Every structure is written in C-alpha cells, then in structure tokens.
Amino acid sequence: MHEQPNLLIAWLEQAGLSHTFSVPITYTLIIFAVFFTALLATWFVRRTLVSSLIKIIRNNRLSWDNALTDHFFFTRLSWFVPVLIFYIAQDILLPPDSQWLKFVPRLILCGFILAGIRVISALLKAANSIYRVRHLQTGKTIRGYIDAIRIICYLLGGILMVSTLTGRSPWGLLSVMGGLTALTMLIFRDTILGFIAAIQLTTNDMIRVGDWIEMESHGADGDVIEVSIHSVRVRNWNKTITTIPTYALIANPFKNWRGMTESGGRRIKRALHLDMTSIRFLTDDELDKLEEIRILRQYLRSKREEISKYNRARGAETSGTINGRSQTNIGLFRAYISAWLQEHPKVHKKMTFLIRQLKPGPTGIPLEIY
C-alpha cells in the first residue's frame, strides 16, 4: 500500500532544507512550534475576545446572562482553539512511518468531544442558575434534571471517546454495557435512585429550595439550601449542614413546614395553669376599679348590663351571688387575655383564635391559648 508523503517533508524538499535538519530534530521543533502556537492562540483569544465578552455581559442591563460567565462558559468554549490548531497541523506533526500516525487524529477528535462536553456542562449549569433566579420566590428547582442530563452527556461522551480511541462502533460498546446491566445497576445504584427520587420530588412539589423541613432520622431541622440528583443539603438552625441522600426523602418520612410559612401564621398552643382555690366571684367595687383598664372597659360594661338583665328577668336576688349570675375572676382574666391578644399586631386575625378553659388537673385549671 502506497503511503501519502508527509507535507512537511515535501515542503523541506521544495525549500532545499531537507539536508540541513535531521528528521527527528525537525519534527521536535515542529511539535514545539505547534504547541507554542496553540498556547499563544488560546491566551490571545481569552485575553481579547473572551475578556471583552465578559465585560459586555457584566455591564449590560440583563442579569440572566451573568450565569454564563459565572460558570465559565466562554472560557471552556475557548478550548476549541488549541484543539482546532492541532487538527489543522496534524499532517505535519509526525513522520509518515510513525506508529502514532493513526492515533493522533483520534486523540484530537477526543479533544473535540471533551471540549464539547465541558461546554454543554457549563451551559446546563448556567441554565440551572437562570431558572433558580427566575423562580427564587417559589423555590422551584430543576437541579435534578440538569444533573441527570449532565450525567448522560458525560456517559455518552465517554462512550464516544472510547469508541474513537479503539476504532470500534459506539453501538457495540452500548451493547456491552447492556450485557453488564447488573454491574451497571450496582455501580450507578445511588445515581439511578437519586434521579428517580429527584423527579418525584420535583413533579409532586414535595420540596423546594428555601423550605423548612424536619427529618428526625437524619437529624435535619432547618432550611433546604440545595436539591441535587444525589443529595439534599439542609442548613440547620445551629448553622450546621446536614446532607441527606435524595432517595431517602422518598423512602423515609419528613415534615415540610412550607404550608405554615405560606399561610402567614404559626400556631401557638400554651396553657396557663391557675390555682383552683383562688377562683372567686368579683364584687361591684372590684368591677368598678377594673373598668379603669382600657381593653376591659367595654367588655365589663356590656357584661354587667347583660347579667343585670338576666337576673331581673328571673327575679334573682342580687344580695347573694349564689342566687344569680355574677362575674368570676377567671372569666374576667380570660376576657383580658383575649382582648390583649386581639390587639397584638403579630396575631393573625383570620385564623383559629381560642382562649378556653380545659379540664382541671393536678396542676390546676388550664387556661389554654390557641
């Protein structure tokens, strides 16, 4: 089989320099020159074109495109420059009889694949950041889907690179991986479980970034700061970070306090225990003095008028409190607590509001605030 003459040898022969430099030295100098040119071109592109793009993006009015620079999209895109230079100069890098002659084009093609994967990965990260900023109030995230797509890209890229280096069809490698299904499931078990769990969590809206969750089995009690395909990170109230496997949120119970946060209020359930022996009726003089309290004034006047009408209608003797209705100190105390809480600016007026007397116990009569 006739081999095609190397372009470098042909050029040296035309220039009359074939006897000036030996072949090994010539190729060493050429390889060094190509590497130097690739480095210089990459540096020049990054210092001029990439830097200019970054400045334009940082100084414009748009905010979403900042994610491209935050995840080094243009920097990774510049890696195509040295690979392209090596691709153009591949015919002069090696002598025609070199055993590396078939391997170098494959290696350069792998460089294109690797650079492409890194660019796609940066673009996916930027898309996740843009989505997260746009949905910051709702806390929705697509991190699980982005991670799954990145894993698929890396997997396909790895298959293409191996296929390129070995000269075999990628479908053959996929069939081999299909035959090793059990081993693949064992190796990627956590990734597969996390991917399915992330889809369930996102689809059913079970968890969002910013949610307050409580999961006793993993010692988590705080705000969700990150949701990915492999783990969910929770910042606890003591500022420690708890990392929970994503699939654990499907397999184990947890409490999400988002409903309370969205409602605008949080339940308070406390009881004041009163001594039963201190409960008594109030005299008229005590009621007159208690009318000086502003928040009780209207209640006392309406209540005294109501009791007075009740006793007159039934002919009850007012000389003895046992013969008619009278006000007690526990009833007035309950009215005072209710009026004070109704005026409190941080008490939700449209939610359940109860001040009730419960069953007496060993510690007295509970007066519950709900």
Side-chain angles (χ1 to χ4, degrees):
M1 181 176 176
H2 179 69
E3 294 183 354
Q4 183 179 358
N6 188 277
L7 295 178
L8 175 62
I9 300 299
W11 179 81
L12 289 175
E13 290 177 353
Q14 291 178 2
L17 298 175
S18 58
H19 300 289
T20 304
F21 300 99
S22 63
V23 174
I25 294 177
T26 302
Y27 280 106
T28 302
L29 292 175
I30 291 300
I31 291 173
F32 176 77
V34 171
F35 270 94
F36 180 76
T37 304
L39 290 175
L40 184 62
T42 305
W43 175 83
F44 179 77
V45 168
R46 289 186 179 181
R47 290 296 300 269
T48 56
L49 183 60
V50 174
S51 297
S52 300
L53 285 174
I54 292 176
K55 288 181 181 179
I56 292 173
I57 290 174
R58 292 293 185 185
N59 296 327
N60 63 15
R61 295 182 179 180
L62 302 176
S63 58
W64 62 267
D65 54 358
N66 292 335
L68 295 174
T69 60
D70 292 339
H71 296 284
F72 309 103
F73 172 75
F74 298 105
T75 303
R76 294 186 178 186
L77 197 63
S78 65
W79 280 109
F80 280 104
V81 175
V83 180
L84 186 61
I85 291 175
F86 280 112
Y87 176 76
I88 295 173
Q90 63 179 327
D91 290 335
I92 62 173
L93 286 175
L94 297 172
D97 56 347
S98 175
Q99 58 181 344
W100 293 90
L101 193 60
K102 294 182 179 180
F103 184 73
V104 169
R106 296 177 182 178
L107 195 61
I108 294 174
L109 186 56
C110 288
F112 278 113
I113 296 173
L114 182 60
I117 292 173
R118 289 176 59 81
V119 169
I120 294 174
S121 178
L123 191 61
L124 290 172
K125 288 182 179 180
N128 178 61
S129 298
I130 294 170
Y131 185 90
R132 185 173 180 177
V133 172
R134 292 290 180 89
H135 297 81
L136 187 62
Q137 299 297 328
T138 61
K140 294 182 178 180
T141 178
I142 57 172
R143 175 69 183 273
Y145 299 107
I146 294 295
D147 288 344
I149 296 174
R150 288 178 60 207
I151 290 174
I152 293 174
C153 288
Y154 279 118
L155 184 61
L156 294 178
I159 292 174
L160 288 176
M161 290 175 66
V162 173
S163 173
T164 302
L165 291 175
T166 59
R168 295 182 178 180
S169 173
W171 301 110
L173 295 175
L174 286 173
S175 63
V176 172
M177 291 185 64
L180 300 175
T181 304
L183 182 61
T184 305
M185 291 290 291
L186 181 62
I187 295 174
F188 297 102
R189 172 182 174 273
D190 292 341
T191 301
I192 295 172
L193 290 176
F195 173 61
I196 296 174
I199 292 177
Q200 290 180 333
L201 291 174
T202 305
T203 304
N204 298 324
D205 199 17
M206 297 172 62
I207 194 171
R208 302 176 187 171
V209 175
D211 284 354
W212 169 18
I213 69 170
E214 184 178 348
M215 193 172 187
E216 296 182 359
S217 59
H218 288 74
D221 186 10
D223 293 332
V224 177
I225 59 175
E226 185 179 281
V227 179
S228 67
I229 192 174
H230 295 103
S231 62
V232 174
R233 299 178 65 207
V234 179
R235 181 188 290 115
N236 300 312
W237 302 121
N238 58 0
K239 300 304 179 183
T240 59
I241 304 295
T242 300
T243 303
I244 307 171
T246 306
Y247 59 83
L249 294 171
I250 301 296
N252 300 303
F254 71 96
K255 184 184 293 184
N256 193 332
W257 295 87
R258 187 201 310 160
M260 180 198 68
T261 305
E262 293 177 346
S263 67
R266 179 180 180 181
R267 185 190 72 174
I268 298 176
K269 188 178 180 181
R270 296 289 185 271
L272 303 174
H273 296 270
L274 306 177
D275 184 4
M276 287 186 290
T277 60
S278 65
I279 297 175
R280 60 181 179 84
F281 292 109
L282 294 172
T283 62
D284 292 336
D285 293 337
E286 289 174 329
L287 292 175
D288 292 338
K289 187 176 182 180
L290 287 172
E291 279 192 16
E292 298 177 1
I293 302 175
R294 180 185 57 82
I295 59 176
L296 283 178
R297 187 174 300 138
Q298 183 62 33
Y299 171 80
L300 282 172
R301 289 176 180 176
S302 61
K303 202 67 176 177
R304 293 178 79 171
E305 183 178 354
E306 175 189 339
I307 292 175
S308 178
K309 289 182 178 179
Y310 178 89
N311 290 336
R312 285 198 303 269
R314 286 162 176 74
E317 298 179 4
T318 56
S319 58
T321 55
I322 196 171
N323 294 320
R325 287 181 59 186
S326 299
Q327 295 193 61
T328 60
N329 56 358
I330 187 173
L332 189 59
F333 183 59
R334 181 173 59 185
Y336 172 80
I337 295 176
S338 177
W340 188 85
L341 291 175
Q342 289 284 4
E343 288 192 350
H344 200 285
K346 293 187 177 181
V347 175
H348 207 296
K349 305 301 187 295
K350 295 183 179 180
M351 288 188 174
T352 304
F353 184 92
L354 291 175
I355 307 295
R356 58 183 180 178
Q357 181 179 321
L358 301 180
K359 181 180 178 180
T363 56
I365 297 180
L367 195 63
E368 187 182 65
I369 301 172
Y370 189 98

